[in-house]
Amino acid sequence: MVDYLLTTGELTLEKRGPALRGHTMPAVTCASIAGFLTDHTTLGRVSQATGLSFQRLRFELPKLSILPRPVPKATGHIYAKARLKDVILDSDLELSGPLNWDRM
């Protein structure tokens, strides 16, 4: 998923301090991750926020008309955050506790 987001320009790399043998190690910038998570989330983050397993959510979210963004095969599930919280709260999903929006 990270490689896909780097190729689309949604995440950016920066060179980090010197590593072994004088080579620098690239790292994804915190600012680009924060920018991505402003409007998007992943299936794993939705799972953490709701307390539900990602396998269950993978089948329940389409039933709620929450579809992942089209991405290449084997990339993962990326969702737009717009209306996601409201749809989940209004659904009949049995959450294990309150929705932790900060983790989403």
Side-chain angles (χ1 to χ4, degrees):
M1 180 181 303
V2 171
D3 185 50
Y4 168 74
L5 293 172
L6 287 169
T7 59
T8 62
E10 294 176 81
L11 294 180
T12 55
L13 290 176
E14 68 180 359
K15 291 185 179 179
R16 290 284 170 104
L20 297 175
R21 299 184 185 163
H23 299 286
T24 56
M25 299 297 292
V28 177
T29 64
C30 291
S32 66
I33 293 172
F36 172 76
L37 292 176
T38 300
D39 298 323
H40 299 89
T41 191
T42 63
L43 183 61
R45 292 181 67 85
V46 175
S47 175
Q48 288 178 340
T50 59
L52 301 172
S53 73
F54 73 91
Q55 294 99 337
R56 178 175 175 202
L57 286 172
R58 200 170 143 216
F59 295 102
E60 294 289 341
L61 292 178
K63 292 177 187 175
L64 299 172
S65 299
I66 300 173
L67 301 174
R69 183 169 109 180
V71 295
K73 202 172 193 175
T75 297
H77 298 280
I78 301 171
Y79 296 92
K81 278 190 175 179
R83 76 182 244 299
L84 183 62
K85 180 180 178 183
D86 295 333
V87 171
I88 289 174
L89 288 175
D90 291 340
S91 72
D92 60 354
L93 290 174
E94 295 177 16
L95 303 178
S96 59
L99 184 65
N100 186 349
W101 186 246
D102 293 334
R103 294 186 80 170
M104 197 178 298

